[in-house]
Amino acid sequence: MKKVFLIGTIIFSAIFLSGCQKTNIVTCTLNKNDLENDYQMTGTYEIYTDGETVNKVITVEQIFSDNDEVLNSFEDYLKGVYNPMAENYGGYDINIKKNDDSLTSTIEIDYQKVDIEKLLVDQPAMSSMVNDKNQVLLASIKASYATLGAVCE
């Protein structure tokens, strides 16, 4: 009986462990100094991935400026982009804080909770960022951060 239990445990463990994938974190960073528009920006983008697909992204962006209009513009922009996404598709956790000379946004997007099918209906251009199972592709996320000037590891 002990042998059967031991063999069963070994088989169950092998099946369970082979089905589990290790989550990796790819980090992208951004440092931008825009003197013309009177701000500096840093960003850290952590991409949680199981290989080629993305489960979650956590972005932390900080904008520094002595110009209150610049900070207000960034705050309005970020809220205008992320709040509708959260309301319409779910999966977004948004935290935006403004101080005297800086603005910090921390945005977590859990793609396992986002209604990707609805998003693709509303924004068909996003279809290039997902595979045939509507999973967000790592290469697409890295490319979008690269267009901002971020460097990914």
Side-chain angles (χ1 to χ4, degrees):
M1 183 68 172
K2 286 183 182 181
K3 278 187 177 181
V4 171
F5 179 75
L6 180 62
I7 291 171
T9 302
I10 292 170
I11 291 172
F12 174 78
S13 297
I15 292 170
F16 178 75
L17 291 174
S18 66
C20 294
Q21 295 182 357
K22 182 181 176 191
T23 298
N24 296 312
I25 301 172
V26 175
T27 302
C28 303
T29 55
L30 171 71
N31 290 299
K32 184 175 184 176
N33 190 4
D34 190 332
L35 297 175
E36 183 177 321
N37 292 304
D38 196 25
Y39 72 90
Q40 293 177 315
M41 180 177 178
T42 63
T44 303
Y45 311 95
E46 291 183 344
I47 307 166
Y48 293 75
T49 177
D50 289 334
E52 299 299 315
T53 59
V54 176
N55 298 322
K56 175 172 65 173
V57 173
I58 298 175
T59 70
V60 178
E61 294 175 324
Q62 293 182 294
I63 295 97
F64 302 95
S65 179
D66 293 330
N67 187 334
D68 207 38
E69 287 181 35
V70 169
L71 296 176
N72 289 338
S73 292
F74 272 105
E75 183 177 29
D76 292 344
Y77 173 78
L78 291 168
K79 287 179 178 179
V81 169
Y82 290 115
N83 286 340
M85 297 294 283
E87 291 169 13
N88 293 324
Y89 311 110
Y92 284 73
D93 185 21
I94 304 160
N95 186 350
I96 300 171
K97 292 183 181 176
K98 187 175 143 219
N99 297 318
D100 290 339
D101 62 352
S102 68
L103 177 110
T104 302
S105 70
T106 304
I107 311 295
E108 180 175 335
I109 307 169
D110 186 341
Y111 287 107
Q112 295 174 333
K113 295 179 181 176
V114 172
D115 187 343
I116 299 288
E117 290 179 14
K118 183 177 179 187
L119 176 66
L120 293 175
V121 168
D122 294 345
Q123 299 182 25
M126 297 288 292
S127 64
S128 64
M129 296 186 71
V130 298
N131 63 15
D132 58 350
K133 295 178 183 175
N134 287 341
Q135 297 169 313
V136 177
L137 297 169
L138 174 61
S140 298
I141 294 290
K142 287 172 71 174
S144 43
Y145 289 134
T147 62
L148 297 174
V151 177
C152 299
E153 60 180 36

